Amino acid sequence: MKNIISNSNENVVLLMTGTVKPNTFATLALKDPDIRREQYVEAISYYLTQTNLKIVFVENSGVLLADEFEEIAYKNRLEFLTFSSQPSMPDKGKGAKELEIINYAMDHSKFINESNSIIKITGRLKILNIMELTSNFLSRVEQYRCLFSSNIYKLNKMDARCFFFTKDFFPYLKSVGQAINIKYSIEMALWDSALKYCNYHGVFKQLKRPLRVKGVNAGFGTPYEDNFTAALAKGIRHYFRAPYFYRKMKNELKGYTANE
């Protein structure tokens, strides 16, 4: 794989969430621990070679992957954290576990403690245009300072596979996310926390480009096929739909502010 590492981005950390041995099976098709482990290792290797970012991999079933990455060259860019998440009764689904992992990372990661901004990525997936998206996000942070950035794929739902935020956004997501369950997804919680964030001091901006994803959808077990043609179609759709979603958010924010 060609190495395209450029100058360092010291103020942003890539947070990869992982569960090798799932203890929630609601809305989850991909359950095999060996397959999941292999996908995580492959994705971490991708981000090590194709980005210059510091990487925090946080796993919630007590499995350590650090022994897969012994190269000295990567030691200053990799941080591994693991804990054992307890099953919830009733099962709240994978979105609740995802938020639990992010919360653990915010509390325990040295890299995150030393940074200002976070890129959250579902750990089995490769975002093929990650560096372009990161550059766009950081340029916007210089402009707005307090920023949450994701893509809206449906009204009231944001793409939780990969999103960007300055750390001041997380308390809003943490608060709203306590309600996540089978019927109220993390995608919905991201939308609602964005409204709450914007109502106070933050800014929401959609990503300038759609995600180009390579990997397997855990919920359905189907592969993501973001080839050139698919990416072009998504880009055109994103260009025309973004203004519509901004208007909807603006209208909802007016109502949200009035209710406050």
Side-chain angles (χ1 to χ4, degrees):
M1 185 180 291
K2 183 180 178 181
N3 191 309
I4 58 170
I5 292 177
S6 58
N7 293 331
S8 176
N9 295 302
E10 293 293 338
N11 209 28
V12 61
V13 171
L14 196 157
L15 167 59
M16 301 177 67
T17 58
T19 304
V20 175
K21 300 177 180 178
N23 64 16
T24 176
F25 296 102
T27 67
L28 192 64
L30 183 57
K31 304 169 185 176
D32 188 300
D34 292 333
I35 294 176
R36 294 176 69 90
R37 181 187 179 101
E38 181 180 350
Q39 290 176 346
Y40 288 128
V41 170
E42 186 176 331
I44 294 169
S45 299
Y46 172 82
Y47 292 115
L48 280 173
T49 57
Q50 297 298 296
T51 83
N52 63 337
L53 302 170
K54 287 186 176 181
I55 300 167
V56 181
F57 181 83
V58 185
E59 200 278 341
N60 73 340
S61 64
V63 177
L64 278 171
L65 298 183
D67 58 349
E68 301 274 0
F69 300 90
E70 295 297 329
E71 295 92 337
I72 299 298
Y74 295 145
K75 291 295 185 181
N76 65 338
R77 289 183 54 211
L78 266 177
E79 180 182 12
F80 287 96
L81 299 174
T82 189
F83 66 102
S84 295
S85 174
Q86 299 303 309
S88 58
M89 298 295 176
D91 193 347
K92 295 182 179 181
K94 59 186 178 65
K97 294 297 181 181
E98 185 92 340
L99 184 61
E100 184 182 37
I101 294 172
I102 300 171
N103 186 57
Y104 188 90
M106 299 297 289
D107 287 343
H108 294 88
S109 169
K110 177 183 176 182
F111 284 177
I112 289 177
N113 182 60
E114 295 172 348
S115 72
N116 176 62
S117 302
I118 312 298
I119 308 165
K120 179 272 168 188
I121 294 181
T122 299
R124 299 172 300 96
L125 304 180
K126 302 168 194 165
I127 308 301
L128 303 182
N129 57 341
I130 187 64
M131 289 309 292
E132 177 189 9
L133 296 174
T134 300
S135 177
N136 290 336
F137 171 75
L138 291 177
S139 66
R140 283 173 158 178
V141 169
E142 290 184 6
Q143 180 180 359
Y144 298 108
R145 304 191 67 82
C146 299
L147 181 64
F148 165 51
S149 192
S150 180
N151 275 336
I152 303 169
Y153 69 92
K154 186 184 290 186
L155 192 60
N156 299 324
K157 289 185 178 181
M158 294 189 181
D159 196 333
R161 296 174 299 175
C162 177
F163 55 89
F164 298 65
F165 59 98
T166 51
K167 289 195 297 186
D168 63 300
F169 166 73
F170 183 69
Y172 298 91
L173 176 58
K174 182 178 179 180
S175 175
V176 172
Q178 293 179 20
I180 292 174
N181 56 33
I182 301 301
K183 295 183 178 180
Y184 182 69
S185 66
I186 190 172
E187 291 83 3
M188 296 175 181
L190 283 171
W191 175 281
D192 290 338
S193 56
L195 290 175
K196 190 172 183 179
Y197 182 57
C198 292
N199 190 49
Y200 288 91
H201 68 279
V203 174
F204 169 76
K205 291 291 181 183
Q206 292 194 75
L207 300 177
K208 288 191 174 183
R209 299 285 186 274
L211 302 176
R212 289 194 62 202
V213 183
K214 186 175 182 179
V216 178
N217 183 302
F220 301 100
T222 55
Y224 293 108
E225 298 290 349
D226 280 354
N227 54 35
F228 177 79
T229 303
L232 181 61
K234 286 171 65 176
I236 295 171
R237 186 166 61 248
H238 178 81
Y239 177 81
F240 285 104
R241 292 176 71 183
Y244 166 77
F245 285 130
Y246 275 128
R247 288 194 298 271
K248 290 293 185 181
M249 283 199 72
K250 187 176 181 179
N251 290 336
E252 287 205 23
L253 187 57
K254 286 180 181 178
Y256 185 95
T257 304
N259 291 331
E260 286 286 299

